Amino acid sequence: MATLDSLKQALRQKAKATASSPKQPLSDTQYSTGFDISVRGSGWMTYQDFIIPQLSQLLAPLFNSRIHISALEIGPGPKSLLGYLPGHLRQKVRKYTAFEPNGLFATRLEEWLCSTSETESPLPCLENPPNIHRIPFVLQDNIGSGTSTGTRDNDEKYDIILFCHSMYGMKPKHRFIERALEMLIERPQGGMVVVFHRDGSLHLDGLVCHRTASFPTGVVSVANDDEVLDCFAPFIAGFIMQDVDVDKAIRVEWRKVCRALGRREEAHPDHLLFSSPNVMAAFTQHATMLPELTAQVPLVKGDKTVKNWEARLHRPASIIRPTEVRHVQQCVRWALKHGVGLAVVGGGHSGHCLWPNVVSVDMSAFDRVHILTAGEDEGKSGSGSLVVAETGCKTGDIVRKTMAAGLTVPLGARPSVGAGLWLQGGIGHLARLHGLACDAIVGAVVVSVDSSQALCVGRVPSQHRPVGAVRPENETDLLWAMKGAGTNFGIVISITFKAYAAPTYSIRNWVVPLSDNLEARLRLSDFDKFVDSKLPRNFSADAYLYCDNDQLYLGVTMFESSTSRLTFETPTPTPTPTPTPIGTILGPEDNFKVVNSVGLFDAEMYISGMHGGHGGGKTSSFKRCLFLKRIRAMNVVDMLVAAVETRPSPLCYLHLLQGGGAVGDVAADTTAFGCRDWDFACVVTGVWPRDQDGTEAARAAVRWVYNVVGDLLPLSSGAYGADLGPDPRDAALAAKAFGPNRPRLARLKHSLDPRNVLAYACPLPKAPMEQKLIILVTGESCAGKDFCADVWVSVFATYTHKSLTARAVSISDATKREYAAATGADLNRLLSDRAYKEQHRPALTTFFQGQARQRPRLPEEHFLNVVYGAVDVDVLLITGMREEAPVTAWSHLVPDSRLIEVYVQASEQTQRIRRGCHGGDGDGDDNKDSNNSGSNLTALDYRPSLIFNNDTTGNEAAKRFAEHYLLPFVHEDLQRLAHMVRQVPDFPRPGIEFCHVLGISQQPGGLALCTSLLQTHFTGDWDKVDAVACCEAGGFVYASALASRVDVPLVLIREAGKLPPPTVSVIKPSSHFSSFASNNSNERRIEMERDVVPRGASVVVVDDVLSTGETLCAVLQLLDEAGIGAEDISIMVVAEFPIHRGRELLRQRGFSRINIQSLLIFSGA
C-alpha cells in the first residue's frame, strides 16, 4: 500500500514526463473538494483515533492549569480541531485566531464557530468573534494584514498554537515553528506549539520536542471512480496543468497511477487505499535550548551508524556522546530543566534508540569490561566471579573477554546487541541452564532520571563505583526493576553480572523440506513433543519455519553446552556425530560441529544456512516476539504455518527459541521479567533487501509481523518487551510483556521517572495513582474552621493503619500575599497576627473584590495554586473558601483527587465568644464579607459533603468526627475496591481509557465489599430510609445487593414498556457511555411503577457511575413525578468521573441540595 507521499511523487513524476505545459495552483474549490475526499471514511479515522485523542491528552494539563485559553490555529480547514475536544476543554477557549488562506474553508470555519442554531457552538465561551485571517501564516508578522473576520492585534500571544494539517509549503519548517514559539504567552509558561504532519518525519534542525507521537496505521480510502480520482489526484499532486487539454490528458494518466499504487481489499473492492502515517510533535519555549546541552557534553563525531533500520530513518534533534558519568548527569539535568525526553543508544538494535526531534544519549564511550574473580569483590571470598560491563559494550565484547578468562555470562545470541537486551530479558542458548541475561544481573550503576544522582544498586565492586554515587532508599525495588525492565528507570552506566564457567558447544543442524502444510504441522508437533520431554537443561533446540525458492522448510538447531573442557585453542572442525533421539523425527542431521562461545555467533542457522545467509548486511529486518506454550496445539501450529504462507517477502520467517529449565525456575514476581511459563519464544521476523528500507516492501513486512503476532497474542503466555517502543501497535504487546508485574512497574515508573524522561522505552502502564484527599473546610464566620483543620491534620498524621502526610493551608493566604506586595503591609503579621489582620480586613476585602473583577476566575487560580503547591502530601485541608458549592465547581479541575467539603457551623453564642472584642473572624479565615458570611446551613442553596457542629470546647469532638467520617476516605478497603476496576484502553473508542466499574461484581468478594462500603459510607440513617431506587442496568447490580443488606425495598426504574401499568415516566437522554459506544443518541423514556413508593418517603438512589449526570437527572425527575421531593433523596454511586461535571448538571437542574456520595473517583471515561 503506497503512502500518500509516494503517490504525490509518482503523480508529479508522471506530469513531468508526459507534459511540458505550465502548472497552475489549485483553486479554493479544487483544494476544498480534494481535502473533503481525503478525510471521508477511513481518512477521518486518523482524526478520531489519533489526532483528537492525542490533542485532548496533551492539552488537558495545560487547559486545566489556566482559567482561560487563547488559541491560534494554522491551516485549520473548514473546522477547528479544538472544536472536537471534550466539552470541558472547549469551554476554556476564550480567544480564537486562525490563518486559513482558503476562502471557502475560512467561510465554513467562521459559520461553524459562530453557529446560531440550536446546536451549541464548538467553542461556546469565546469572548469575541473568532479572528480568522484569510492569508497564509508566514515568517514575518502578518497578523495585522490580510482579510480578517475579527479584531487585529499585532502583539497577540497565545497559550496554544496548532499546525493542523501538515506543514506543506512551509520551508524551512523549523523557522515556522520558531516563529510560532515566539508567539506563545511568556507568563505563565507552559504554552505549546503542536504540529500534526502527514507522511514522513519532520526534519527540524535541532529543535527539541516536548512530546511526540506517531500513528503509522493511518489510511485514506478513495472511491475508484474517474470523477473522484480527477479531484483527488490534483489535490495530492498540488497543482493542475494550465492548458485545459493537457490537463485532461494528464488526469487520465493520474488515474492510472492511483489505480496502480492504491491497494484494494475484499471488504471494499470499489475503493483504493493509501497509507497515511501521521506524526504529532509538541514544542514548548524550551525547544531551542539544545545549545545549552551541547556546550557541556560532547557530540557524536560524524554520522552515527546504528544497526536498526527504523532508527536509521529517524532524525534526532542531536546525538550526545558522554564520556564521563557527569556528562550523563548533565544530560538528565538538562532534560528535567526543559521538560523533554531522552533516548538512549546502546547496541543500536532498538528502533527507538534514535527518535525524531529527541536528543539521543550514545553510550558507546562506556565500553569497558572488567572481570573480578572470586574474592576480588571487596575481599569477599567464595562469592563467585563477577563481570562488570559498561553499557556501551556489545554482547560479543563481553563474551570474547570473559571467554579468555574461562568464564561466560548468559547473554543473547547475537554479538552486536547491547545493554537494552540484557536489561529487558536476554534469551540465549544458556537460558535453560543458567536463566536469562537479566537473571544474572546482581548490581548496576544508574543515573537517576528523577534527581540526576549517580546510584549504586545491588552488588557494585568498590573500584567501579563512581565518585559521589549513593545507594537509593528504594534500592531493592530498583534492582528488581533492572532485571527485566531496566531501560525504563534510569540511564544505566554499568551492569554487574554473576559469571559462569565458559562452556564448549556442540551444534547439530537439520533442514527438512516439507511437502505440504500437513507435513509442516506434523513435524512441528513432533518437534514440540520431543523437546518438551526429552532434552536435559544443558541442551536447547531452536526451530525455523521458512521458505526458500517457494519450498517450505523446517530448520532445527540443537545446542549442547559442556564445561568438561574449560579451554581449547581451536574447535574441532568435523567430529563424528553421535546419533540422537531427535533423528528419529527429523532424520539424519545435515551437519555437526563443536564451537566455543565466540564461534557460536556464526553457527546460528539464520546467519549461516537460510536464504544464502543473512550475515552479509544486505538485509533489514523487523521482529516482534511472543511466548508460546504447547505449539503442537492445533490452532497454534496452524497459525504458524499460515503465517509463513502469507509472508510478503521470500525472506520472512519464524524462529522458535526453546524456553523452560532455569527460565521457569524463577517465580514471575521475583524479577520484573514476569513471563516465565513458556516453551518457546516465537520471533516473527519480517525481512527485506536493505536497499528497500522505507519502501512499501519494508512497510508490508512490518504489517505482516504485526498481523501474525496479533493473531497469536490471544494464545500466547506473554510478549517480549525488549523490542517494544512508542509505536502504538506495540501497546497490545506491552500489555502482556511483564505478566503480573505491570502494576508494580507502573508505580515504580511513576516514582523513579515521574517526568517521563525515558518516554521512548518499552511502554509501561500509567500508575494507579494513590489519590490525594482534598478537604475543603468551609462554614460560618468564627465557627473554628482553622482550628478544626489543624485537629484533623493531627488525626491523619497519627493514623496507625497507613503512613499519611497531611497539611492545612488557607486559600486566602494568596490574597494576603498579593495585598502585602501591592500595599507594603507586613505579610507575616497578616498571616499570624489576628488583630493586625482585622485592622486590614476592610482593605483586604476591597482589594480582593477589585482583583476578582479583573480576574473573574481568581478563586480557581488560588485553588489550583494551593493544590499544585502540595503535591507531596496525601491529605490537603484548605480553609478560607469563598465559593458556593466548591466541590461542584472545582472537582473537575483535580479529577485525580477526591474532593469533599466539610461545613463547620457553631451557634451564634459560640461565634460571639470566639470573635471576642475584634468583631471579626476568630479562626483566621477571611470570608466575613463573602456569601457564606454569617450564614447558617439552611441558607445554603447546596448540600455540603459533611457537616460538623463545632460548639464544644476542646478538640475531642473534632477528633471523633474525623475518625468517624474522614478516615474512612483513606481506608485500604477503598483502595482494594479501586484495584478491582479494570482499566480498558481504547474502549469503546480509540483514545478512551474505560473504567470497568461493573466488573467489580465479577471479582471474588467484589460485590460484597462494594455493598458493605456503600452501607458504611452512607452519612444518613438507614433506619429512616424507606426505599433504594436504581435505574437499569448498572444500578441494578449494586442497588439490589445493598437493599437486601440494609433490608429496605428496591424500586426498579426501567426503559418504558418493561414494567406493568400503571407507571410514571420521563424522557432520559443517552448516558455518557452509550454516546461513546453508539452513534445513536436518540432519547428514550424510563419509568417506574406508580405508588410503589409513598409520597414523601425517604429514598436512596444507587447507581454504578456518576459521569455527565444525565441519567441521575432523569431518575430524580422521575421520582419528582412520583411525589418524592429532592429534600427526601440521597444519591450514592460506586464511581464518579468529575471531569464530566455531573454534579454541575445536577445543580443546574435544581438538585443541588441532594447529598451525593461516591466511593471511588476516576479521571478517565
Side-chain angles (χ1 to χ4, degrees), residues 758-771:
L758 300 175
Y760 308 102
C762 177
L764 294 175
K766 291 183 179 179
M769 297 286 293
E770 290 282 342
Q771 285 184 341

Side-chain angles (χ1 to χ4, degrees), residues 167-223:
M167 297 184 71
Y168 296 131
M170 299 184 191
K171 296 180 181 179
K173 291 180 173 55
H174 72 278
R175 286 291 299 120
F176 283 85
I177 294 175
E178 289 168 355
R179 172 69 186 114
L181 290 169
E182 294 168 357
M183 300 169 68
L184 291 178
I185 288 174
E186 296 177 4
R187 290 287 184 273
Q189 288 192 346
M192 273 187 280
V193 174
V194 183
V195 179
F196 288 98
H197 187 70
R198 187 179 65 201
D199 281 333
S201 59
L202 287 164
H203 299 158
L204 299 176
D205 294 335
L207 289 181
V208 181
C209 274
H210 165 69
R211 179 178 161 190
T212 179
S214 65
F215 187 68
T217 55
V219 172
V220 169
S221 175
V222 183

Side-chain angles (χ1 to χ4, degrees), residues 156-366:
E156 185 71 47
K157 299 287 186 178
Y158 303 94
D159 297 290
I160 176 69
I161 300 176
L162 298 181
F163 290 83
C164 299
H165 305 288
S166 300
M167 297 184 71
Y168 296 131
M170 299 184 191
K171 296 180 181 179
K173 291 180 173 55
H174 72 278
R175 286 291 299 120
F176 283 85
I177 294 175
E178 289 168 355
R179 172 69 186 114
L181 290 169
E182 294 168 357
M183 300 169 68
L184 291 178
I185 288 174
E186 296 177 4
R187 290 287 184 273
Q189 288 192 346
M192 273 187 280
V193 174
V194 183
V195 179
F196 288 98
H197 187 70
R198 187 179 65 201
D199 281 333
S201 59
L202 287 164
H203 299 158
L204 299 176
D205 294 335
L207 289 181
V208 181
C209 274
H210 165 69
R211 179 178 161 190
T212 179
S214 65
F215 187 68
T217 55
V219 172
V220 169
S221 175
V222 183
N224 188 6
D225 173 85
D226 287 355
E227 185 176 342
V228 172
L229 292 177
D230 285 348
C231 296
F232 176 71
F235 170 75
I236 298 299
F239 59 85
I240 59 173
M241 309 308 291
Q242 200 171 80
D243 184 278
V244 175
D245 293 332
V246 173
D247 187 61
K248 287 181 180 179
I250 201 63
R251 291 193 191 213
V252 172
E253 296 301 317
W254 278 354
R255 293 176 207 157
K256 297 176 183 177
V257 173
C258 291
R259 287 168 175 145
L261 296 181
R263 191 177 78 185
R264 296 167 177 82
E265 291 185 345
E266 290 183 10
H268 305 284
D270 56 346
H271 278 70
L272 304 175
L273 303 182
F274 298 93
S275 174
S276 178
N278 267 256
V279 296
M280 181 201 76
F283 303 87
T284 68
Q285 288 156 323
H286 299 278
T288 58
M289 292 294 107
L290 182 58
E292 180 183 304
L293 177 63
T294 56
Q296 304 175 62
V297 185
L299 290 167
V300 164
K301 295 180 180 179
D303 293 332
K304 174 67 180 179
T305 301
V306 294
K307 177 74 173 175
N308 187 276
W309 69 276
E310 286 181 284
R312 291 196 302 268
L313 295 177
H314 297 154
R315 185 173 295 187
S318 184
I319 305 177
I320 302 297
R321 188 177 185 268
T323 57
E324 304 173 39
V325 174
R326 66 180 180 88
H327 289 157
V328 179
Q329 294 174 292
Q330 287 169 323
C331 291
V332 171
R333 283 193 286 269
W334 174 83
L336 292 170
K337 176 181 177 181
H338 298 296
V340 298
L342 297 172
V344 181
V345 184
H349 275 250
S350 164
H352 40 276
C353 64
L354 302 179
W355 201 251
N357 309 304
V358 172
V359 170
S360 284
V361 182
D362 174 19
M363 299 299 290
S364 60
F366 296 85

Side-chain angles (χ1 to χ4, degrees), residues 1072-1091:
H1072 171 64
F1073 177 76
S1074 297
S1075 66
F1076 272 134
S1078 170
N1079 292 324
N1080 183 3
S1081 59
N1082 293 336
E1083 298 175 333
R1084 52 192 175 90
R1085 299 190 74 84
I1086 57 173
E1087 62 181 14
M1088 60 182 284
E1089 295 181 58
R1090 188 183 300 277
D1091 301 326

Side-chain angles (χ1 to χ4, degrees), residues 1045-1083:
R1045 189 180 185 96
V1046 299
D1047 195 24
V1048 298
L1050 183 67
V1051 177
L1052 302 178
I1053 299 172
R1054 306 200 65 186
E1055 287 187 21
K1058 293 185 177 181
L1059 291 173
T1063 61
V1064 291
S1065 66
V1066 296
I1067 292 175
K1068 175 191 173 295
S1070 292
S1071 69
H1072 171 64
F1073 177 76
S1074 297
S1075 66
F1076 272 134
S1078 170
N1079 292 324
N1080 183 3
S1081 59
N1082 293 336
E1083 298 175 333

Side-chain angles (χ1 to χ4, degrees), residues 251-565:
R251 291 193 191 213
V252 172
E253 296 301 317
W254 278 354
R255 293 176 207 157
K256 297 176 183 177
V257 173
C258 291
R259 287 168 175 145
L261 296 181
R263 191 177 78 185
R264 296 167 177 82
E265 291 185 345
E266 290 183 10
H268 305 284
D270 56 346
H271 278 70
L272 304 175
L273 303 182
F274 298 93
S275 174
S276 178
N278 267 256
V279 296
M280 181 201 76
F283 303 87
T284 68
Q285 288 156 323
H286 299 278
T288 58
M289 292 294 107
L290 182 58
E292 180 183 304
L293 177 63
T294 56
Q296 304 175 62
V297 185
L299 290 167
V300 164
K301 295 180 180 179
D303 293 332
K304 174 67 180 179
T305 301
V306 294
K307 177 74 173 175
N308 187 276
W309 69 276
E310 286 181 284
R312 291 196 302 268
L313 295 177
H314 297 154
R315 185 173 295 187
S318 184
I319 305 177
I320 302 297
R321 188 177 185 268
T323 57
E324 304 173 39
V325 174
R326 66 180 180 88
H327 289 157
V328 179
Q329 294 174 292
Q330 287 169 323
C331 291
V332 171
R333 283 193 286 269
W334 174 83
L336 292 170
K337 176 181 177 181
H338 298 296
V340 298
L342 297 172
V344 181
V345 184
H349 275 250
S350 164
H352 40 276
C353 64
L354 302 179
W355 201 251
N357 309 304
V358 172
V359 170
S360 284
V361 182
D362 174 19
M363 299 299 290
S364 60
F366 296 85
D367 59 356
R368 289 167 294 183
V369 180
H370 308 276
I371 299 173
L372 290 82
T373 57
E376 285 189 78
D377 179 12
E378 301 177 332
K380 296 179 181 178
S381 60
S383 60
S385 297
L386 299 177
V387 174
V388 178
E390 295 179 346
T391 51
C393 296
K394 308 289 177 60
T395 292
D397 302 328
I398 299 174
V399 169
R400 289 184 185 91
K401 187 156 187 177
T402 56
M403 192 182 72
L407 300 171
T408 195
V409 177
L411 301 175
R414 298 301 309 132
S416 58
V417 298
L421 180 81
W422 320 327
L423 290 165
Q424 297 180 93
I427 305 170
H429 298 304
L430 291 176
R432 286 173 45 77
L433 184 62
H434 297 309
L436 304 169
C438 67
D439 295 332
I441 295 174
V442 296
V445 174
V446 186
V447 172
S448 165
V449 287
D450 182 24
S451 66
S452 77
Q453 177 71 54
L455 307 175
C456 287
V457 183
R459 289 181 66 184
V460 180
S462 57
Q463 60 269 45
H464 300 294
R465 297 174 189 166
V467 175
V470 300
R471 291 197 174 273
E473 291 182 4
N474 54 358
E475 181 179 5
T476 301
D477 281 336
L478 184 52
L479 180 59
W480 177 87
M482 287 287 114
K483 296 161 73 75
T487 58
N488 253 296
F489 300 100
I491 299 180
V492 183
I493 303 297
S494 67
I495 303 168
T496 307
F497 294 102
K498 58 183 176 182
Y500 298 88
T504 302
Y505 296 90
S506 64
I507 301 171
R508 293 173 168 85
N509 287 302
W510 290 262
V511 177
V512 182
L514 304 170
S515 57
D516 54 27
N517 292 347
L518 177 59
E519 184 184 5
R521 295 182 180 97
L522 292 174
R523 294 277 192 175
L524 274 175
S525 296
D526 290 342
F527 169 75
D528 183 28
K529 291 175 186 176
F530 171 78
V531 300
D532 188 32
S533 58
K534 303 292 185 183
L535 288 186
R537 291 191 171 202
N538 65 318
F539 281 74
S540 68
D542 285 7
Y544 296 83
L545 196 61
Y546 66 99
C547 279
D548 202 348
N549 293 322
D550 292 326
Q551 170 67 56
L552 183 62
Y553 290 95
L554 174 63
V556 174
T557 303
M558 184 176 293
F559 304 87
E560 177 188 1
S561 63
S562 171
T563 57
S564 59
R565 287 195 301 164

